[in-house]
Amino acid sequence: MILKVKKVIYPKNPEADYKGFVIMFALLIEKQTDIMVKGSGLPLCSGTVFDAEGEFKKDKYGEAYNVTGFLPVIGVDEKSIIDAICSITEEDTEIAEAVYSKYKAESIEKLDAEPKLLLNLKGICPRKKRRAYYKYIENRLSIKYMRELKKCGIPTYMAVKLINAHKDGALTTAKEHAYQMCEVCNVNFKTVDALIKKNGLKSSYTEKVYAALYDVFLQAENGGPLFGSVSGHCCVSVQDWIEMAASTLKVSSQGEKDKFISLARKYVLQHKVYLDRDSDNTIYATREKTYWAETNTAQYIVSLLKANDTSNASNLDSEIAIMEEKVGFSLTNEQRNAVETALNNLISVITGGPGTGKSTILNFIRTIYAKKNTKGKILLLAPTGKAARRMQETTGCRSLTIHRGLQLKVDNAGEFGEPIPIDADFILIDEISMLDIFIAEKLFKSIKPGTKVVLVGDVDQLPSVGAGAVLDDLIDSNIIPLARLTQAKRQAGDSHIILNSFLMKNGNYDLEYADDFILDVTDNFEQAAEEVDKIFLKEVKRVGINNVVMLSPYRKKGTATSVEDFNTRIHDQVNPPIEGKPYMYSKGTKYREGDKVMQTSNTNDVSNGDVGYITEISGGKVTIDFDGRVVEYDKNDMDNVVLAYATTVHKSQGSEYKVVIFNIQNEHGMLKKRNLIYTAVTRAKEKVYIVGSKKALVDSINHGTTGEDRRRTLLAHRIKLLCEQN
């Protein structure tokens, strides 16, 4: 609708470049009536006319039009048009004047219809024209395209990806080549197929087959009905790939089968898919992006292995003895071997569970290296903010997240850009079981050959959220020097958490229960929810909200102990609403000052999984403190935030809490796995509550990582091949 600014209520004294939340009265041109309008970055100058998109909503202050996007309405005189083109393209007047000289008063209309006209301007630097073209789409047409795509029934998250990928071709793709959205938007076949049928979109049969073939890879990596409860695969056997895609399309007749196979061959030949024969003589198919991630990672690792080691690793026995005397205890043979393995090799892996001394030997390794290589630069990295802070606490040295260490920037499509080269001679990386193959590729690419690298992780934990099994593959290659820590000293009064975690990972369900490891048997989700709530509130009162977490296998609402159900239910009890207390409403939740929240996507300021507290809500902005890193959010940013009193086991990796409450029921079905419950239990430092069914607990421990559960990857195979070739 067309609106005209009449009176700005907030902010009272805006700066010239103010882009924050705005509340105003505006004239609704069509009806010549005044309405309340709210939104971010709205024009502030009285009399300005703009074309807004949004919806009317009511709150305690009354009804207001909430703007989700807008375009300025531009005058038809020469100066207005030239100024507008300069503003939109973020270029000087050269481009704008060239456009106006050709199209006069129709300049904006022409560019809106065909922004590629900017690329056809004569006598202007090609790079400048390309910049102007992309900025025109980003600053003006993205809103227009979003509107048109929404009319086609395309959800916002898909529309954003379409616009980022295809610019002014986004609408054509959606309308005429709709099945391409599977690959462009990384969306499953079922979703796109439903959109096509519901909204009358078009696409060719070839595109439909390609979408079904791509969908198998998508489900293999991210989960889906074709692969049951196992996800994170980097490849699929060719036989499974063809059969699964054919079943998606319900291919039945011989003629359909022949046509389908012919198109599958074309898909491979177009380099959309790479085929490899593994050591088991099975031919596997891998999508292009994942193929290069695995191939490049293997090449980077082998380059690190083959480089010359210029570090000083002499007289380790005497240096270890000095450290032992300093800390007041002796290393076990396993721990000593781990220290020597790390210092004697350019790249090494150390794996072990809780209580085996990983933190202790990290201190030994770092201290001895620093003493013997006084000019060597040392860098400590971990996948998450919490893991990095824990590493810093145990070593006394500054530690960074991998994303911050590599200075990974997130683009408009949510993808990470290229890493910077790491300026370090010695790198210690903790919690590497959390690394997916795509972050691993960027990490190893950034490490220069000759750098000493120590990779530390617990191979019995859950694998990464994203595709790959990096730690498993490094070990399975039998190429990377490896030290295993299997022994945990247990003395009187020691933690039952450590004891039971060892029993669990070895398939023993005869656990020892005590005051620090409690089984609370419940018959169903509702009864479990009552117990979980009671325990949570009791422990929060005892040790504080920051030291307690409820972990669940389920995230989405639907069962009483899911993450979303628990967070909704417990919210008002741990941070009750108070009259006059500021709040912001986002995606069904009223966020208040003091709320514990989690970031759910990567940005340049915050990583996916980071937990913080809301410290202030004011003027349509929310301030969140992530352990000293303060970030300001607007309403749109809050779409990527959730309450964090409970979280999934996957999201808890890299974190530690004094108290962990974990629910496991018979109804959790395929989620009952040994590595899930092992990961949940080992997040606790002082006390564990397992609430639920004892049978479900036993079933989980019995359900170890079998061949069927293992992720299918080719990284280990690629490392072996490259080493053999060299």
Side-chain angles (χ1 to χ4, degrees):
M1 59 176 66
I2 307 298
L3 301 172
K4 183 178 182 179
V5 180
K6 292 200 71 175
K7 180 183 179 183
V8 176
I9 301 169
Y10 180 87
K12 291 182 179 178
N13 297 301
E15 297 178 6
D17 60 348
Y18 181 80
K19 302 259 188 230
F21 191 73
V22 175
I23 304 172
M24 67 166 68
F25 282 110
L27 177 70
L28 176 56
I29 301 292
E30 183 184 356
K31 296 184 178 179
Q32 289 294 300
T33 56
D34 290 345
I35 61 172
M36 178 82 79
V37 177
K38 298 179 180 180
S40 293
L42 298 178
L44 300 171
C45 184
S46 181
T48 301
V49 178
F50 61 101
D51 183 3
E53 182 182 58
E55 59 182 331
F56 283 99
K57 287 184 179 179
K58 279 187 178 180
D59 59 24
K60 64 180 181 181
Y61 301 108
E63 186 175 60
Y65 188 70
N66 286 258
V67 176
T68 55
F70 71 93
L71 289 170
V73 175
I74 299 164
V76 294
D77 62 285
E78 180 178 353
K79 184 178 185 306
S80 295
I81 292 172
I82 288 176
D83 286 348
I85 295 173
C86 288
S87 174
I88 295 166
T89 60
E90 299 181 20
E91 294 288 346
D92 58 30
T93 58
E94 183 184 19
I95 292 262
E97 288 171 352
V99 172
Y100 186 81
S101 68
K102 197 168 185 179
Y103 302 113
K104 304 301 181 188
E106 295 182 335
S107 292
I108 297 293
E109 186 180 347
K110 290 282 189 183
L111 290 179
D112 280 358
E114 194 176 354
K116 283 184 178 175
L117 291 173
L118 288 165
L119 301 175
N120 299 330
L121 296 173
K122 297 190 185 301
I124 296 174
C125 168
R127 185 180 297 175
K128 190 174 186 178
K129 289 190 289 187
R130 283 196 301 272
R131 268 201 320 259
Y133 165 66
Y134 288 123
K135 283 296 179 183
Y136 197 91
I137 293 169
E138 180 183 337
N139 292 337
R140 180 168 173 83
L141 293 191
S142 59
I143 296 171
K144 175 187 173 183
Y145 294 149
M146 286 284 277
R147 291 178 181 177
E148 294 301 317
L149 288 166
K150 281 185 178 180
K151 289 177 185 176
C152 296
I154 309 300
T156 301
Y157 74 97
M158 289 176 63
V160 169
K161 290 183 178 180
L162 269 174
I163 293 167
N164 283 329
H166 286 185
K167 307 299 179 188
D168 56 333
L171 198 57
T172 302
T173 300
K175 286 184 173 181
E176 305 295 331
H177 310 283
Y179 280 113
Q180 287 185 12
M181 292 191 294
C182 286
E183 191 163 348
V184 174
C185 304
N186 242 28
V187 177
N188 64 55
F189 181 90
K190 184 178 179 182
T191 297
V192 174
D193 192 51
L195 286 173
I196 290 170
K197 290 173 180 175
K198 182 179 179 180
N199 301 292
L201 307 177
K202 297 176 182 178
S203 206
S204 68
Y205 181 73
T206 297
E207 290 166 342
K208 185 174 185 178
V209 170
Y210 287 1
L213 290 165
Y214 183 80
D215 182 56
V216 178
F217 294 127
L218 202 60
Q219 290 196 45
E221 292 186 23
N222 303 320
L226 291 175
F227 292 87
S229 65
V230 184
S231 62
H233 303 296
C234 288
C235 58
V236 185
S237 75
V238 169
Q239 182 178 345
D240 287 345
W241 178 52
I242 295 298
E243 288 178 356
M244 288 175 174
S247 69
T248 298
L249 296 173
K250 298 181 172 58
V251 172
S252 56
S253 70
Q254 190 58 49
E256 287 178 320
K257 289 177 183 177
D258 292 343
K259 188 174 182 180
F260 172 78
I261 294 297
S262 175
L263 288 171
R265 287 197 183 101
K266 285 183 180 178
Y267 194 59
V268 173
L269 290 172
Q270 289 175 358
H271 278 240
K272 297 282 188 181
V273 176
Y274 290 81
L275 304 182
D276 289 277
R277 192 183 299 274
D278 198 0
S279 53
D280 63 3
N281 214 32
T282 302
I283 300 175
Y284 287 95
T286 310
R287 73 177 178 122
E288 186 175 27
K289 179 182 177 181
T290 313
Y291 169 84
W292 284 114
E294 280 200 311
T295 299
N296 291 338
T297 301
Q299 289 173 342
Y300 300 142
I301 289 170
V302 172
S303 294
L304 294 174
L305 278 167
K306 300 292 183 181
N308 292 322
D309 189 353
T310 58
S311 64
N312 183 358
S314 60
N315 301 319
L316 289 183
D317 285 343
S318 62
E319 294 297 341
I320 290 172
I322 292 169
M323 278 290 293
E324 288 176 329
E325 186 175 351
K326 184 177 179 180
V327 298
F329 60 83
S330 297
L331 298 181
T332 65
N333 289 336
E334 279 188 342
Q335 292 169 338
R336 178 179 290 269
N337 175 61
V339 173
E340 292 173 349
T341 299
L343 292 170
N344 282 323
N345 293 282
L346 271 174
I347 181 168
S348 58
V349 172
I350 299 171
T351 184
T356 57
K358 292 197 301 293
S359 297
T360 298
I361 63 170
L362 278 178
N363 267 327
F364 270 70
I365 294 165
R366 183 196 59 79
T367 304
I368 293 172
Y369 176 86
K371 183 178 178 181
K372 298 182 75 59
N373 300 272
T374 54
K375 293 184 179 180
K377 296 178 182 177
I378 300 173
L379 179 63
L380 277 60
L381 298 174
T384 66
K386 285 232 172 184
R389 283 187 291 277
R390 206 171 77 242
M391 198 178 186
Q392 186 165 313
E393 290 166 4
T394 58
T395 63
C397 293
R398 183 168 180 247
S399 180
L400 302 174
T401 63
I402 291 171
H403 300 83
R404 197 163 292 273
L406 305 186
Q407 294 187 27
L408 293 177
K409 300 295 184 183
V410 181
D411 62 20
N412 292 333
E415 298 287 336
F416 285 115
E418 287 302 296
I420 64 161
I422 294 177
D423 182 21
D425 304 293
F426 184 45
I427 306 175
L428 284 166
I429 309 169
D430 200 7
E431 297 284 1
I432 65 162
S433 63
M434 298 176 67
L435 284 186
D436 66 36
I437 191 61
F438 305 109
I439 295 298
E441 178 193 16
K442 295 184 184 299
L443 171 65
F444 289 110
K445 179 180 183 178
S446 69
I447 302 173
K448 63 179 184 288
T451 305
K452 192 177 287 291
V453 182
V454 181
L455 305 160
V456 184
D458 186 347
V459 77
D460 294 303
Q461 281 189 30
L462 284 169
S464 57
V465 176
V470 176
L471 176 55
D472 291 82
D473 285 339
L474 293 177
I475 294 171
D476 291 347
S477 72
N478 293 317
I479 300 293
I480 316 295
L482 170 69
R484 286 186 185 270
L485 301 173
T486 62
Q487 301 167 4
K489 292 182 179 179
R490 184 170 186 249
Q491 300 170 350
D494 272 2
S495 169
H496 288 83
I497 298 169
I498 292 174
L499 168 68
N500 288 326
S501 68
F502 269 81
L503 293 173
M504 285 177 177
K505 78 174 185 178
N506 291 314
N508 187 339
Y509 51 80
D510 189 16
L511 308 180
E512 285 192 19
Y513 299 103
D515 290 343
D516 61 348
F517 199 98
I518 299 162
L519 175 63
D520 190 338
V521 177
T522 57
D523 294 329
N524 52 56
F525 284 120
E526 288 68 29
Q527 189 181 349
E530 290 181 16
E531 285 298 302
V532 164
D533 291 3
K534 182 173 69 176
I535 294 166
F536 186 87
L537 293 171
K538 178 184 75 173
E539 291 295 340
V540 165
K541 187 175 181 181
R542 183 177 72 87
V543 297
I545 192 71
N546 198 40
N547 295 311
V548 185
V549 72
M550 197 287 277
L551 300 180
S552 173
Y554 284 145
R555 178 179 64 85
K556 291 188 176 180
K557 286 186 177 182
T559 61
T561 59
S562 72
V563 168
E564 291 182 359
D565 280 282
F566 177 84
N567 279 329
T568 300
R569 195 171 59 247
I570 212 74
H571 186 198
D572 287 351
Q573 298 186 64
V574 295
N575 190 19
I578 300 172
E579 188 174 347
K581 187 175 186 177
Y583 69 88
M584 176 177 279
Y585 190 82
S586 176
K587 294 177 74 173
T589 300
K590 277 188 176 180
Y591 292 96
R592 311 181 188 106
E593 290 178 357
D595 273 337
K596 184 179 182 180
V597 294
M598 177 183 285
Q599 176 76 14
T600 60
S601 64
N602 289 306
T603 71
N604 293 329
D605 298 311
V606 194
S607 297
N608 186 354
D610 280 355
V611 174
Y613 289 87
I614 295 176
T615 57
E616 184 182 4
I617 300 176
S618 177
K621 297 287 185 179
V622 177
T623 303
I624 304 177
D625 185 342
F626 294 94
D627 280 342
R629 193 168 69 261
V630 179
V631 183
E632 191 174 71
Y633 286 65
D634 62 21
K635 191 173 189 339
N636 291 331
D637 295 329
M638 289 299 289
D639 287 349
N640 298 314
V641 168
V642 294
L643 293 171
Y645 303 107
T647 189
T648 61
V649 180
H650 258 116
K651 287 284 189 183
S652 74
Q653 284 184 272
S655 301
E656 280 188 343
Y657 305 87
K658 286 186 177 180
V659 180
V660 166
I661 307 159
F662 177 66
N663 174 239
I664 188 74
Q665 302 287 155
N666 290 321
E667 292 84 353
H668 280 129
M670 291 185 293
L671 294 174
K672 294 183 293 184
K673 292 184 179 180
R674 185 185 301 169
N675 57 7
L676 183 88
I677 195 164
Y678 172 83
T679 303
V681 164
T682 54
R683 299 309 90 207
K685 293 189 289 186
E686 294 181 5
K687 186 179 283 192
V688 168
Y689 291 89
I690 297 178
V691 179
S693 159
K694 187 166 186 177
K695 181 181 183 303
L697 173 61
V698 171
D699 288 347
S700 299
I701 295 169
N702 279 334
H703 189 172
T705 307
T706 64
E708 291 182 359
D709 292 326
R710 189 173 176 95
R711 291 181 168 185
R712 288 189 280 280
T713 63
L714 291 170
L715 179 60
H717 176 64
R718 297 190 199 286
I719 292 172
K720 288 178 189 175
L721 282 180
L722 285 170
C723 284
E724 288 170 5
Q725 291 167 8
N726 292 335

